[in-house]
Amino acid sequence: MAQAGRPRGRPPLSSREKIEAVAIELFLEHGYSGTGLAAIIEACGVSKTTFFRYFASKSEIIWYAFDDHTRHLRRLLAEADAPEPAMTVVRTCVVDALRASIDERGIWMKRFIILDGSPELRAEESAQWISWADAVGEYVARRLGVSERALVPASIGGAVQAAYLATLRDWRTSSKPASELLLDLDADLAPLCDVLQGWLDQQRPRR
């Protein structure tokens, strides 16, 4: 039984979550470049001091979650059980990282739509995706005992990142629930990872 005086349903958004949600909607409506910091602050009904308490800049509203996502992917790969085939680990960790990032308010996917469709964010977006691909490549390199810049891990990181990005783009206009996105991502990665595992199995261990 609910306690008297306690509101039911979803808890109220924190100031940070409110700023993020309002800014994302403004970016979708007016474009990233067409939305100034002053407009975000006014729409949120907060002061500049409050805004900068949570975000160092307008662009951080877009990028902080991407950074968190990539760090989480790296952590999952670092903690994965080594006896499993490397590409099984990669596929599982990529799906699990996305599962942890997706939120019930749909902010994560809205953020992706903004960054993927905003030319002014393209250069930084490219750097972010390279970092994401590097997370996969570094894990494969550790399993092979080679440099992350070697052909095999670098190629695998790029291939998995391309498949991941293609799946997200397919979902930009989808109304399906996030649980189905995760199933689609796993299904899309499975044949690619099988092929890449075959390539890995042909590599000689480096001592």
Side-chain angles (χ1 to χ4, degrees):
M1 180 180 297
Q3 296 181 11
R6 177 174 295 180
R8 296 181 178 181
R10 187 182 302 171
L13 298 178
S14 67
S15 295
R16 180 186 177 91
E17 290 172 328
K18 178 183 177 181
I19 293 170
E20 177 187 38
V22 169
I24 292 295
E25 293 302 327
L26 289 174
F27 294 154
L28 287 172
E29 184 177 356
H30 303 292
Y32 178 81
S33 62
T35 303
L37 184 58
I40 296 172
I41 290 171
E42 181 179 359
C44 292
V46 299
S47 66
K48 278 189 176 182
T49 301
T50 299
F51 178 89
F52 287 117
R53 183 182 304 155
Y54 299 109
F55 299 100
S57 64
K58 182 178 81 168
S59 64
E60 189 178 349
I61 299 171
I62 296 294
W63 297 121
Y64 89 90
F66 201 127
D67 292 336
D68 288 348
H69 174 78
T70 303
R71 279 194 293 268
H72 185 55
L73 174 60
R74 277 196 164 90
R75 185 163 60 251
L76 289 174
L77 290 167
E79 296 172 354
D81 292 332
E84 292 186 333
M87 295 313 301
T88 298
V89 172
V90 167
R91 190 177 91 238
T92 300
C93 290
V94 167
V95 173
D96 285 349
L98 181 58
R99 180 180 292 108
S101 292
I102 291 176
D103 61 289
E104 63 179 13
R105 294 181 293 139
I107 296 296
W108 196 91
M109 185 54 73
K110 290 178 181 179
R111 181 185 284 106
F112 171 75
I113 291 170
I114 293 164
L115 71 88
D116 199 51
S118 302
E120 58 271 28
L121 295 173
R122 199 60 49 79
E124 194 167 356
E125 180 191 12
S126 177
Q128 293 282 352
W129 282 120
I130 289 172
S131 177
W132 192 99
D134 286 347
V136 174
E138 288 162 8
Y139 171 76
V140 173
R142 290 197 299 272
R143 291 291 297 265
L144 286 177
V146 300
S147 167
E148 63 270 16
R149 295 183 179 85
L151 171 65
V152 174
S155 298
I156 288 177
V160 174
Q161 181 266 315
Y164 180 80
L165 181 55
T167 299
L168 292 182
R169 283 175 172 158
D170 282 345
W171 271 77
R172 283 183 52 166
T173 57
S174 175
S175 59
K176 294 180 181 179
S179 58
E180 293 191 31
L181 167 58
L182 296 171
L183 291 174
D184 280 0
L185 177 60
D186 189 62
D188 289 345
L189 289 178
L192 172 65
C193 288
D194 286 345
V195 171
L196 294 175
Q197 185 62 50
W199 190 26
L200 283 177
D201 291 342
Q202 296 173 16
Q203 306 304 307
R204 292 183 178 179
R206 302 296 178 90
R207 302 184 184 280

